[in-house]
Amino acid sequence: ADGYWCDIGTLGEYYRANADLLSGRLNLGELGTRIGPDVWADGTVDIAPDAQLIGPIYLGDEVKINRGAIIQGPAVIRDYTVLDNHARVSRSIVWRNCYIGEGAALHGAVVGRQCSFKSRSMVFEGAVIGDGTMVGEDAIIQAGVKIWPNKEVENGATVSHSIIWGSQGRRVLFSRYGVTGVVNVDLTPDFVARLGAAFGSVLPKGSTVTINRDPHRSP
């Protein structure tokens, strides 16, 4: 068949389809009002005079870009999203009602709806952030990490594994009460297996380990 075809069933192809539309490889009509070289807005936008927009970029309705912010395309910023002072978004897709905090940076990421990135947080190539997720100050989401919806990443945490079942990405593992959490939410089988492997790695050969449990089904 003639025409453009792209199966967006994978993240890479989904990103490529957005980039192809922005770069003019397919024609689906005007993306909105052209407000700059390769920059389109579909509604009213508020852009600080010293913000830098390097196309191709699509901005949704009521997008606000504060002073010193930088957007480098191909990038999609959907409706009601705010980029705070000196935030940076490059080669990323950000859905509606998101907040990109002061000095935060997204590089090659896909971000769902209603996500919040606090000051100086960073997200790297190929990461996907699910709807309703909050990433704390100075937190780092490493390349390729997938975070399922409605999670919370603590201030200063570095997330190198996908967060699927757990409710949090933690900066520190141990609290004053040891390792605690809700079973099958924070304390998943994958998490406790990695915890056990980490503990075993510091024991000398031939060590004896004693464990205990209560009668509840979870242990």
Side-chain angles (χ1 to χ4, degrees):
D2 295 331
Y4 178 90
W5 171 259
C6 181
D7 181 354
I8 61 170
T10 66
L11 292 167
E13 292 299 284
Y14 170 70
Y15 179 83
R16 184 168 72 88
N18 278 267
D20 287 347
L21 176 60
L22 291 172
S23 61
R25 290 195 60 196
L26 64 158
N27 181 17
L28 295 179
E30 288 295 323
L31 299 177
T33 302
R34 187 185 294 268
I35 61 173
D38 294 327
V39 179
W40 294 270
D42 189 16
T44 302
V45 295
D46 183 0
I47 303 173
D50 63 345
Q52 299 181 48
L53 278 65
I54 306 166
I57 297 168
Y58 169 87
L59 303 174
D61 190 28
E62 297 293 338
V63 167
K64 184 174 182 180
I65 303 172
N66 287 350
R67 60 183 177 84
I70 299 173
I71 304 176
Q72 183 175 357
V76 175
I77 312 293
R78 294 294 302 273
D79 304 353
Y80 309 109
T81 290
V82 175
L83 274 68
D84 213 335
N85 301 334
H86 305 289
R88 182 176 186 125
V89 174
S90 62
R91 308 179 313 280
S92 297
I93 300 168
V94 181
W95 283 69
R96 63 177 180 263
N97 296 99
C98 289
Y99 171 73
I100 316 300
E102 187 169 351
L106 308 178
H107 302 285
V110 176
V111 177
R113 303 177 182 89
Q114 297 178 319
C115 293
S116 178
F117 299 86
K118 302 299 184 182
S119 300
R120 301 174 303 281
S121 56
M122 300 185 71
V123 183
F124 288 101
E125 298 286 340
V128 181
I129 313 299
D131 296 352
T133 292
M134 194 281 287
V135 179
E137 292 182 1
D138 300 300
I140 297 173
I141 311 299
Q142 293 187 349
V145 167
K146 314 289 191 300
I147 298 182
W148 260 238
N150 304 310
K151 308 302 183 190
E152 179 180 349
V153 178
E154 288 186 345
N155 295 343
T158 297
V159 180
S160 57
H161 294 85
S162 295
I163 302 176
I164 301 174
W165 301 109
S167 61
Q168 286 187 322
R170 300 181 179 181
R171 182 175 65 87
V172 294
L173 187 61
F174 294 92
S175 68
R176 60 181 296 189
Y177 301 110
V179 180
T180 61
V182 180
V183 173
N184 282 332
V185 176
D186 300 303
L187 302 180
T188 64
D190 176 66
F191 172 82
V192 296
R194 287 191 283 117
L195 177 62
F199 177 58
S201 69
V202 302
L203 298 177
K205 186 176 181 179
S207 297
T208 299
V209 178
T210 301
I211 62 173
N212 187 32
R213 56 160 288 176
D214 66 24
H216 193 272
R217 291 176 60 193
S218 298

Coordinates of all heavy atoms in Angstrom, one line a residue, residues 92-169:
S92 N 12.1 14.4 23.8 CA 11.2 13.7 24.7 C 9.7 14.0 24.3 O 9.4 15.0 23.6 CB 11.4 14.2 26.2 OG 12.7 13.8 26.6
I93 N 8.9 13.1 24.9 CA 7.4 13.3 24.7 C 6.8 13.4 26.1 O 7.0 12.5 26.9 CB 6.8 12.1 23.9 CG1 7.4 11.9 22.6 CG2 5.3 12.2 23.9 CD1 7.1 10.6 21.9
V94 N 6.2 14.5 26.3 CA 5.6 14.8 27.7 C 4.1 15.0 27.5 O 3.7 15.9 26.8 CB 6.2 16.0 28.3 CG1 5.6 16.2 29.7 CG2 7.7 15.8 28.4
W95 N 3.3 14.1 28.2 CA 1.8 14.3 28.1 C 1.3 15.4 29.0 O 2.1 16.0 29.6 CB 1.2 12.9 28.3 CG 1.3 12.0 27.2 CD1 2.5 11.4 26.7 CD2 0.3 11.6 26.3 NE1 2.2 10.7 25.6 CE2 0.8 10.7 25.3 CE3 -1.1 11.8 26.3 CZ2 0.1 10.2 24.3 CZ3 -1.9 11.2 25.2 CH2 -1.3 10.4 24.3
R96 N 0.0 15.5 29.0 CA -0.6 16.7 29.6 C -0.5 16.8 31.1 O -0.3 15.8 31.8 CB -2.1 16.9 29.1 CG -3.0 15.7 29.6 CD -4.4 16.0 29.2 NE -5.3 15.0 29.6 CZ -5.7 14.0 28.8 NH1 -5.2 13.9 27.6 NH2 -6.5 13.1 29.2
N97 N -0.7 18.0 31.6 CA -0.7 18.3 33.0 C 0.5 17.8 33.8 O 0.4 17.3 34.9 CB -2.0 17.6 33.6 CG -3.3 18.2 33.1 OD1 -3.9 17.6 32.2 ND2 -3.7 19.3 33.6
C98 N 1.7 18.0 33.2 CA 2.9 17.6 33.9 C 3.6 18.9 34.4 O 3.4 20.0 33.9 CB 3.8 16.9 33.0 SG 3.3 15.2 32.6
Y99 N 4.5 18.7 35.4 CA 5.3 19.8 35.9 C 6.8 19.4 35.8 O 7.2 18.3 36.4 CB 4.9 20.1 37.3 CG 5.9 21.1 38.0 CD1 5.9 22.4 37.7 CD2 6.7 20.6 39.0 CE1 6.7 23.3 38.3 CE2 7.6 21.5 39.6 CZ 7.6 22.9 39.3 OH 8.5 23.7 39.8
I100 N 7.6 20.1 35.1 CA 9.0 19.9 35.1 C 9.7 21.0 35.9 O 9.7 22.2 35.5 CB 9.5 20.0 33.6 CG1 8.6 19.2 32.6 CG2 10.9 19.4 33.5 CD1 8.4 17.8 32.9
G101 N 10.2 20.6 37.0 CA 10.7 21.6 38.0 C 11.9 22.4 37.6 O 12.6 22.1 36.6
E102 N 12.3 23.3 38.5 CA 13.4 24.2 38.2 C 14.7 23.4 38.1 O 15.1 22.6 39.0 CB 13.6 25.2 39.4 CG 14.6 26.2 39.1 CD 14.5 27.4 40.1 OE1 13.6 27.4 40.9 OE2 15.4 28.2 40.1
G103 N 15.4 23.5 37.0 CA 16.6 22.8 36.7 C 16.5 21.3 36.4 O 17.5 20.7 36.3
A104 N 15.3 20.8 36.3 CA 15.1 19.4 36.0 C 15.4 19.2 34.5 O 15.3 20.1 33.7 CB 13.7 19.0 36.3
A105 N 15.7 17.9 34.1 CA 16.1 17.6 32.8 C 15.6 16.3 32.3 O 15.7 15.3 33.1 CB 17.6 17.7 32.6
L106 N 15.0 16.3 31.1 CA 14.5 15.1 30.5 C 15.2 14.9 29.2 O 15.2 15.8 28.4 CB 13.0 15.1 30.2 CG 12.0 15.5 31.4 CD1 10.6 15.6 30.9 CD2 12.2 14.6 32.5
H107 N 15.9 13.7 29.0 CA 16.6 13.5 27.8 C 16.1 12.2 27.2 O 16.3 11.1 27.8 CB 18.1 13.3 28.1 CG 18.7 14.5 28.8 ND1 19.0 15.7 28.1 CD2 19.1 14.8 30.0 CE1 19.5 16.6 28.9 NE2 19.6 16.0 30.1
G108 N 15.4 12.3 26.1 CA 15.0 11.1 25.4 C 14.0 10.2 26.1 O 14.0 9.0 26.1
A109 N 13.1 10.8 26.9 CA 12.2 10.1 27.7 C 10.7 10.2 27.2 O 10.4 11.2 26.4 CB 12.2 10.7 29.1
V110 N 9.9 9.3 27.6 CA 8.5 9.4 27.4 C 7.8 9.5 28.8 O 8.0 8.6 29.6 CB 7.9 8.1 26.7 CG1 6.4 8.2 26.5 CG2 8.6 8.0 25.3
V111 N 7.0 10.5 28.9 CA 6.4 10.8 30.2 C 4.9 10.9 30.1 O 4.3 11.5 29.2 CB 6.9 12.2 30.7 CG1 6.2 12.6 32.0 CG2 8.4 12.2 30.9
G112 N 4.2 10.1 31.0 CA 2.7 10.1 30.9 C 2.1 11.3 31.5 O 2.7 12.3 31.8
R113 N 0.8 11.2 31.8 CA 0.0 12.4 32.3 C 0.2 12.6 33.7 O 0.5 11.7 34.5 CB -1.5 12.1 32.1 CG -1.9 11.8 30.6 CD -3.4 11.5 30.6 NE -3.9 11.2 29.2 CZ -3.9 9.9 28.7 NH1 -3.5 8.9 29.5 NH2 -4.3 9.7 27.5
Q114 N 0.1 13.9 34.1 CA 0.1 14.3 35.5 C 1.3 13.9 36.3 O 1.2 13.4 37.5 CB -1.2 13.8 36.2 CG -2.5 14.4 35.6 CD -3.7 13.9 36.2 OE1 -3.9 12.7 36.5 NE2 -4.7 14.8 36.4
C115 N 2.5 13.9 35.7 CA 3.7 13.6 36.4 C 4.4 14.9 36.9 O 4.2 16.0 36.3 CB 4.7 12.9 35.4 SG 4.1 11.2 35.0
S116 N 5.1 14.8 38.0 CA 5.8 15.9 38.5 C 7.3 15.6 38.8 O 7.6 14.5 39.4 CB 5.2 16.3 39.9 OG 5.8 17.3 40.5
F117 N 8.1 16.4 38.2 CA 9.6 16.3 38.4 C 10.1 17.5 39.2 O 10.1 18.6 38.8 CB 10.3 16.2 37.0 CG 9.8 15.1 36.2 CD1 8.7 15.2 35.4 CD2 10.5 13.9 36.2 CE1 8.3 14.1 34.6 CE2 10.1 12.8 35.4 CZ 9.0 12.9 34.7
K118 N 10.6 17.2 40.4 CA 11.0 18.3 41.3 C 12.3 18.8 40.8 O 13.0 18.3 39.9 CB 11.1 17.8 42.7 CG 9.7 17.2 43.3 CD 8.6 18.2 43.3 CE 7.3 17.7 43.9 NZ 6.2 18.7 43.8
S119 N 12.8 19.8 41.6 CA 14.0 20.5 41.2 C 15.2 19.6 41.0 O 15.5 18.7 41.8 CB 14.4 21.6 42.2 OG 13.3 22.5 42.4
R120 N 15.9 19.8 39.9 CA 17.2 19.2 39.5 C 17.1 17.7 39.4 O 18.1 17.0 39.4 CB 18.3 19.5 40.6 CG 18.5 21.0 40.8 CD 19.5 21.3 41.9 NE 18.9 20.7 43.2 CZ 18.0 21.3 43.9 NH1 17.5 22.5 43.5 NH2 17.6 20.8 45.1
S121 N 15.9 17.2 39.2 CA 15.8 15.7 38.9 C 16.2 15.5 37.5 O 16.1 16.4 36.6 CB 14.4 15.2 39.2 OG 13.4 16.0 38.5
M122 N 16.6 14.3 37.1 CA 17.1 14.0 35.8 C 16.5 12.6 35.3 O 16.5 11.7 36.1 CB 18.6 14.0 35.7 CG 19.3 15.3 36.1 SD 21.0 15.3 35.9 CE 21.2 15.3 34.1
V123 N 16.1 12.6 34.0 CA 15.6 11.4 33.4 C 16.4 11.2 32.1 O 16.5 12.1 31.3 CB 14.1 11.4 33.1 CG1 13.6 10.1 32.6 CG2 13.4 11.8 34.4
F124 N 16.9 9.9 31.9 CA 17.8 9.7 30.8 C 17.2 8.9 29.7 O 16.0 8.4 29.8 CB 19.1 9.1 31.3 CG 20.0 10.1 32.0 CD1 20.0 10.1 33.4 CD2 20.7 11.0 31.3 CE1 20.8 11.0 34.1 CE2 21.5 11.9 32.0 CZ 21.6 11.9 33.4
E125 N 17.9 8.6 28.6 CA 17.5 8.0 27.4 C 16.7 6.8 27.6 O 17.1 5.9 28.3 CB 18.7 7.7 26.5 CG 19.5 8.9 26.1 CD 18.8 9.8 25.0 OE1 17.9 9.2 24.3 OE2 19.2 10.9 24.8
G126 N 15.5 6.7 26.9 CA 14.8 5.5 26.9 C 13.9 5.2 28.1 O 13.2 4.2 28.2
A127 N 14.0 6.1 29.1 CA 13.2 5.9 30.3 C 11.7 6.2 30.0 O 11.4 7.1 29.1 CB 13.7 6.8 31.4
V128 N 10.8 5.5 30.7 CA 9.4 5.8 30.5 C 8.8 6.0 31.9 O 9.0 5.2 32.8 CB 8.7 4.6 29.8 CG1 7.2 4.9 29.6 CG2 9.3 4.3 28.5
I129 N 8.1 7.1 32.1 CA 7.5 7.5 33.4 C 6.0 7.4 33.3 O 5.4 8.1 32.5 CB 7.9 8.9 33.8 CG1 9.4 9.1 33.6 CG2 7.5 9.1 35.2 CD1 10.3 8.1 34.4
G130 N 5.4 6.5 34.1 CA 3.9 6.3 34.0 C 3.1 7.4 34.6 O 3.6 8.3 35.4
D131 N 1.8 7.5 34.3 CA 0.9 8.5 34.7 C 1.0 8.7 36.3 O 1.1 7.7 37.0 CB -0.5 8.2 34.4 CG -0.8 8.1 32.9 OD1 0.2 8.5 32.1 OD2 -1.9 7.7 32.5
G132 N 0.9 9.9 36.7 CA 0.8 10.2 38.1 C 2.0 10.0 39.0 O 1.9 9.9 40.2
T133 N 3.2 9.9 38.3 CA 4.4 9.6 39.1 C 5.0 10.9 39.6 O 5.0 11.9 38.8 CB 5.4 8.8 38.2 OG1 4.8 7.5 38.0 CG2 6.7 8.7 38.9
M134 N 5.6 10.9 40.8 CA 6.3 12.0 41.3 C 7.8 11.7 41.5 O 8.1 10.7 42.2 CB 5.7 12.5 42.6 CG 6.2 13.9 43.1 SD 7.8 13.9 43.9 CE 7.5 13.1 45.4
V135 N 8.7 12.4 40.9 CA 10.1 12.2 41.0 C 10.7 13.4 41.8 O 10.5 14.5 41.5 CB 10.8 12.2 39.6 CG1 12.3 12.0 39.7 CG2 10.2 11.1 38.8
G136 N 11.3 13.0 43.0 CA 11.8 14.0 43.9 C 13.0 14.8 43.5 O 13.6 14.5 42.5
E137 N 13.3 15.8 44.3 CA 14.5 16.6 44.1 C 15.8 15.8 44.0 O 16.0 14.9 44.7 CB 14.6 17.7 45.2 CG 13.5 18.7 45.2 CD 13.8 19.7 46.3 OE1 14.8 19.6 47.0 OE2 12.9 20.6 46.5
D138 N 16.6 16.2 43.0 CA 17.9 15.6 42.8 C 17.9 14.1 42.5 O 18.9 13.4 42.5 CB 18.8 15.8 44.0 CG 19.0 17.3 44.2 OD1 19.6 18.0 43.3 OD2 18.7 17.8 45.3
A139 N 16.7 13.5 42.2 CA 16.6 12.1 41.9 C 17.1 11.9 40.4 O 17.0 12.8 39.6 CB 15.2 11.6 42.0
I140 N 17.6 10.7 40.2 CA 18.1 10.3 38.8 C 17.4 9.1 38.4 O 17.4 8.0 39.1 CB 19.6 10.1 38.8 CG1 20.3 11.4 39.2 CG2 20.1 9.6 37.5 CD1 21.8 11.3 39.4
I141 N 16.7 9.1 37.2 CA 16.1 7.9 36.6 C 17.1 7.5 35.4 O 17.2 8.3 34.5 CB 14.7 8.2 36.0 CG1 13.9 8.9 37.1 CG2 14.1 6.9 35.5 CD1 13.6 8.1 38.3
Q142 N 17.7 6.4 35.6 CA 18.7 6.0 34.6 C 18.1 5.5 33.3 O 16.9 5.3 33.2 CB 19.7 5.0 35.2 CG 20.5 5.5 36.4 CD 21.6 4.6 36.9 OE1 21.6 3.4 36.5 NE2 22.5 5.1 37.7
A143 N 19.0 5.4 32.3 CA 18.5 5.1 30.9 C 17.8 3.7 30.9 O 18.2 2.8 31.6 CB 19.7 5.0 30.0
G144 N 16.7 3.7 30.2 CA 16.0 2.4 30.0 C 15.1 2.0 31.1 O 14.4 1.0 31.0
V145 N 15.0 2.8 32.2 CA 14.2 2.4 33.3 C 12.7 2.7 33.0 O 12.4 3.7 32.4 CB 14.6 3.2 34.6 CG1 13.6 3.1 35.7 CG2 15.9 2.7 35.1
K146 N 11.8 1.7 33.4 CA 10.4 1.9 33.2 C 9.8 2.1 34.6 O 10.0 1.2 35.5 CB 9.7 0.7 32.5 CG 10.5 0.2 31.3 CD 10.4 1.2 30.1 CE 10.9 0.6 28.8 NZ 12.3 0.2 28.9
I147 N 9.0 3.1 34.8 CA 8.3 3.3 36.1 C 6.8 3.3 35.8 O 6.3 4.1 35.1 CB 8.7 4.7 36.7 CG1 10.2 4.7 37.0 CG2 7.9 4.9 38.0 CD1 10.7 5.9 37.7
W148 N 6.1 2.3 36.4 CA 4.7 2.1 36.3 C 4.0 3.3 36.9 O 4.5 4.1 37.7 CB 4.3 0.8 36.9 CG 4.1 -0.3 35.9 CD1 3.0 -1.0 35.6 CD2 5.1 -0.8 35.0 NE1 3.2 -2.0 34.6 CE2 4.4 -1.9 34.2 CE3 6.4 -0.5 34.7 CZ2 5.1 -2.6 33.2 CZ3 7.1 -1.3 33.7 CH2 6.4 -2.3 33.0
P149 N 2.7 3.5 36.6 CA 1.9 4.7 37.1 C 1.8 4.8 38.6 O 1.9 3.8 39.3 CB 0.5 4.5 36.5 CG 0.8 3.6 35.3 CD 1.9 2.7 35.6
N150 N 1.7 6.0 39.0 CA 1.4 6.4 40.4 C 2.5 5.9 41.4 O 2.2 5.5 42.5 CB 0.1 5.8 40.8 CG -1.1 6.2 39.9 OD1 -1.2 7.4 39.7 ND2 -1.9 5.3 39.4
K151 N 3.7 6.1 41.0 CA 4.9 5.8 41.9 C 5.5 7.1 42.4 O 5.2 8.2 42.0 CB 6.0 5.0 41.2 CG 5.5 3.8 40.4 CD 4.8 2.8 41.4 CE 4.4 1.5 40.6 NZ 3.5 0.6 41.4
E152 N 6.3 6.9 43.5 CA 7.0 8.1 44.0 C 8.5 7.7 44.2 O 8.8 6.7 44.8 CB 6.4 8.5 45.4 CG 7.1 9.6 46.1 CD 6.5 10.0 47.4 OE1 5.4 9.5 47.7 OE2 7.1 10.8 48.1
V153 N 9.3 8.6 43.6 CA 10.8 8.4 43.7 C 11.3 9.5 44.7 O 11.0 10.7 44.6 CB 11.4 8.6 42.4 CG1 13.0 8.5 42.5 CG2 10.9 7.6 41.4
E154 N 11.9 9.0 45.8 CA 12.4 9.9 46.8 C 13.4 10.9 46.4 O 14.1 10.7 45.4 CB 13.0 9.0 48.0 CG 11.9 8.3 48.8 CD 12.6 7.6 50.0 OE1 13.8 7.5 50.1 OE2 11.8 7.2 50.9
N155 N 13.5 12.0 47.2 CA 14.6 13.0 46.9 C 15.9 12.3 46.9 O 16.3 11.5 47.8 CB 14.5 14.1 48.0 CG 13.3 14.9 47.9 OD1 12.5 14.9 47.0 ND2 13.0 15.6 49.0
G156 N 16.7 12.6 45.9 CA 18.1 12.1 45.9 C 18.3 10.6 45.5 O 19.4 10.1 45.4
A157 N 17.2 9.9 45.2 CA 17.3 8.5 44.8 C 17.8 8.4 43.4 O 17.6 9.2 42.6 CB 15.9 7.8 44.9
T158 N 18.6 7.3 43.2 CA 19.0 6.9 41.9 C 18.3 5.6 41.5 O 18.6 4.6 42.2 CB 20.6 6.7 41.8 OG1 21.2 8.0 42.1 CG2 21.0 6.3 40.4
V159 N 17.5 5.6 40.5 CA 16.7 4.4 40.1 C 17.4 3.8 38.9 O 17.4 4.4 37.8 CB 15.2 4.8 39.8 CG1 14.4 3.6 39.4 CG2 14.6 5.5 41.0
S160 N 17.9 2.6 39.1 CA 18.5 1.9 38.0 C 17.8 0.6 37.5 O 18.1 0.0 36.5 CB 19.9 1.4 38.4 OG 19.9 0.6 39.6
H161 N 16.7 0.3 38.3 CA 15.8 -0.9 37.9 C 14.4 -0.3 37.7 O 14.0 0.6 38.5 CB 15.8 -2.0 39.0 CG 17.2 -2.7 39.1 ND1 18.2 -2.1 39.9 CD2 17.6 -3.8 38.5 CE1 19.2 -3.0 39.8 NE2 18.9 -4.0 39.0
S162 N 13.7 -1.0 36.9 CA 12.3 -0.6 36.7 C 11.5 -0.8 37.9 O 11.7 -1.7 38.7 CB 11.7 -1.4 35.5 OG 12.3 -1.1 34.3
I163 N 10.5 0.2 38.2 CA 9.6 0.1 39.3 C 8.3 -0.3 38.8 O 7.6 0.5 38.2 CB 9.6 1.4 40.1 CG1 11.0 1.8 40.6 CG2 8.6 1.3 41.3 CD1 11.0 3.2 41.3
I164 N 7.9 -1.6 39.1 CA 6.7 -2.1 38.6 C 5.6 -2.3 39.7 O 4.6 -1.7 39.6 CB 6.9 -3.5 37.9 CG1 7.9 -3.3 36.7 CG2 5.6 -4.0 37.3 CD1 8.3 -4.6 36.1
W165 N 6.0 -3.0 40.7 CA 5.0 -3.3 41.8 C 5.2 -2.4 43.0 O 4.3 -2.1 43.7 CB 5.1 -4.8 42.2 CG 4.9 -5.7 41.1 CD1 5.8 -6.5 40.5 CD2 3.6 -6.0 40.4 NE1 5.2 -7.3 39.5 CE2 3.8 -6.9 39.4 CE3 2.3 -5.5 40.6 CZ2 2.8 -7.4 38.6 CZ3 1.3 -6.0 39.8 CH2 1.6 -6.9 38.8
G166 N 6.4 -2.1 43.2 CA 6.7 -1.2 44.4 C 6.0 0.2 44.3 O 5.8 0.6 43.2
S167 N 5.8 0.8 45.4 CA 5.2 2.1 45.4 C 6.2 3.2 45.4 O 5.8 4.4 45.1 CB 4.3 2.3 46.6 OG 5.0 2.2 47.8
Q168 N 7.5 2.9 45.7 CA 8.5 4.0 45.8 C 9.8 3.5 45.2 O 10.1 2.4 45.2 CB 8.7 4.3 47.3 CG 7.6 5.1 48.0 CD 8.0 5.5 49.4 OE1 8.7 4.7 50.1 NE2 7.7 6.7 49.8
G169 N 10.5 4.6 44.8 CA 11.9 4.4 44.5 C 12.7 5.1 45.6 O 12.6 6.3 45.9

